[in-house]
Every structure is written in structure tokens, then in C-alpha cells.
Amino acid sequence: MRNRLIGSLVLSSSFLLACGGEPPPPVAPPPPPPVEPAPVASAAPTVETPPPAPEPTPEEKKKAEATKKLAEDRAKWEADNKVEVARWTADLHAAAKALASKKYPSLKAALKDALASSTRRPGDADRDRFRHPAETLEFFGIKPTMTVLEVGPGEGWYTEILAPTLASRGKLIDTINDPNGPADSRGTFYGQRFKAFLDNAPELYGQVQTIVVDGKAPNLDAAGKVDAILLMREVHGMVNGNTLDAWLAEFRKALKPNGILGIEEHRASADAEPTESSKKGYVPEKWLVDHLEGAGFKLAGKSEINANPKDTKDYAEGVWTLPPTLQLGDKDRDKYVAIGESDRMTLKFVRLPDKKPGK
């Protein structure tokens, strides 16, 4: 059977070839299914790198540092003031009222009580041995019956001595920065700090008159009302701000005839250039005397009460390197504490009469 089938196939093939036909082509396999193209990943969005921020200018850096320092100083003061407010107990307020109500017959009697009073802030009396307040005020000729103008009272170190001395029979006037000025102004901070100092003890400081003054354009508005003006370590700032002459003109207006101008100031080396040394807090004595005598004042006396030969006056951070500021913190602290406060001149001037026209 198998042989028959093979034979039939051979015959069929022979027949086709004989008829001119060709064997059928092999059947092509079906084409493969189309290949799906691989999905193209969508391109990530292009992120443009912002250009680097420009380097702050020296002025911008200085302003940023000043802003930071102001915030630190304000925070420290606010903490200290909370402690000071708490210190003012009912007993301390009573002591302040009693102190301010006394009618002192002499400066010596007034200062004896004022300097020993518990109303002084803790630590302030420690500075007496450097600042010699009793001797200094006596040298200036201050009396309990005077009207005294204190320029630039700072945190009130001399105010707490002068206020009770003058409370009953005299008057104390203090210049003050505007406490309602711009919040980012150091002057505003100083004004707020001094106002809070006065407000803490109204029994003692309630009679102190304040004059808000723009240090860049001073106007005391006190013509002929003042017996004595005190500048305690203030002149270097006036030299720095190029306002000394403007201040002196205001002092002449405010002082009565022969009124006193008392100056305690950090003393520079004799050959120092004033506009440079003042940046470090020091002013040359002869230059200052000559300058004031050219502005309508006469030197009536000078004292070495506040001299300090240990002060070398060559510190990178200026006079603020020394106590009480101690600008360098713990760095060489013992060295600067051993030096003590600065070498200071103590000068008494009197106001000369106004020059008559044509003279």
C-alpha cells in the first residue's frame, strides 16, 4: 500500500513537470506581529538654575551687622529691665520718695545721701572709684539750687546721682533720643531705654525734664535757662558726627551769663588728629580747649581727678575695649579690668558774654 502511494506521488510530479509546471513554492510563514515601538520617555522639564545672589556690598554688610547687634542689645536690655522693675519694691519706692524730698544745704550733703542710696542700680556704685562723681561735680561747681542740663545721659549713671541732688531746690534737664522714632534706629532704642529708666522710679525721676533732641541737628529750646551743662564722655561722638560746633552754639544759647560747661572726656595723645582719634573714643585735650575758646567759652580750670596713666589708648576696638564696656568679652579681660576706665580730662569752662556788634 505504501509503495503504491509513493508511486502515485512520483507519477503526479512527473506529470506536472511534463506539462511545464513548477512545483509550488513553499508556503511563507506568516509575518511576525508588528513590534510596538518602545514608549519614548517624556523629557523632564528644564529647570533653570537661578543666578547666584549678588555679594552684599560693604554698606549692606555693615547695616546687617548693625541690625543684628541692635537686636541683641535690645533683647539683653529687655531682660535686664525686667529684673530692674522687679527690684523696685514698695520699700524701695518709699526710699526714693524720701531721698528726693530732702532739701540739701550743700552739694556735699546731697551727694553723701545720693551715692549711698539703695536706689542706685546694682553695680553702679562700683564705678565710683573710677569716675569720682563727688569730686568731679564739686570741681564743676554744681549746687543743689542750680538748673543743670545733662547732655547724652546714656543709661542714667550720673542721672541717678544728679536727680536727688537737684530734686527739691533745683532742676535737672536731660536730652533724650526720640523713643517713638523708627524701630530699626539705635537712637530710638536709646530713647526707650532712658525713658524706661525714668519711669521705673517716678518718685525719684518724675521731676526730671526731658528734651527730645536730634543729635544731627540739635535744638535745646532753653535760651538762658541753664546754670550748668554737663558733657560726660560725650564730646567724641559730637566730633565723629561733625556736630560739635552746632552743639556749642546751642550751649551758649541755653546757658545763663557766666554759666558753666563741664566736660569729662576720654583724652587722646597730645599729637593725635581729632577726627581720627575720636573714632576710637578719644579727643586731644589742647585741641578741645582751643576749639571751645574759639567758640565763646573760657577755660576756668582743669583737673586730673579722672586721669589714668595705665590707659595706653591704642586698642583696636578703641576706648570701648576698657571697662565698663569690655568690647572684647573674655579675651584679655583681666588685662583690661586691671587697666580700669580710660584716661580722662576734666575741664571747666564758663560762657563768655556775647560780643557786641562792631567789637
Side-chain angles (χ1 to χ4, degrees), residues 325-356:
T325 307
L326 293 169
Q327 186 75 29
L328 298 180
D330 291 333
K331 182 180 178 182
D332 295 327
R333 184 184 184 91
D334 292 344
K335 170 185 171 182
Y336 298 123
V337 168
I339 292 173
E341 294 199 19
S342 67
D343 174 47
R344 296 183 306 285
M345 55 183 135
T346 307
L347 308 174
K348 177 181 178 180
F349 295 87
V350 293
R351 180 195 187 280
L352 292 174
D354 294 328
K355 292 182 179 179
K356 294 182 180 180

Side-chain angles (χ1 to χ4, degrees), residues 175-221:
T175 64
I176 184 174
N177 293 93
D178 186 359
N180 299 312
D184 61 350
S185 165
R186 180 163 285 275
T188 300
F189 167 57
Y190 288 157
Q192 293 170 344
R193 185 177 64 182
F194 188 69
K195 183 178 183 301
F197 163 77
L198 298 180
D199 291 346
N200 284 341
E203 305 88 353
L204 190 57
Y205 306 122
Q207 296 183 56
V208 175
Q209 179 183 339
T210 58
I211 302 175
V212 175
V213 176
D214 177 359
K216 296 178 181 178
N219 179 8
L220 296 174
D221 191 24

Side-chain angles (χ1 to χ4, degrees), residues 28-41:
V35 178
E36 293 286 337
V40 178

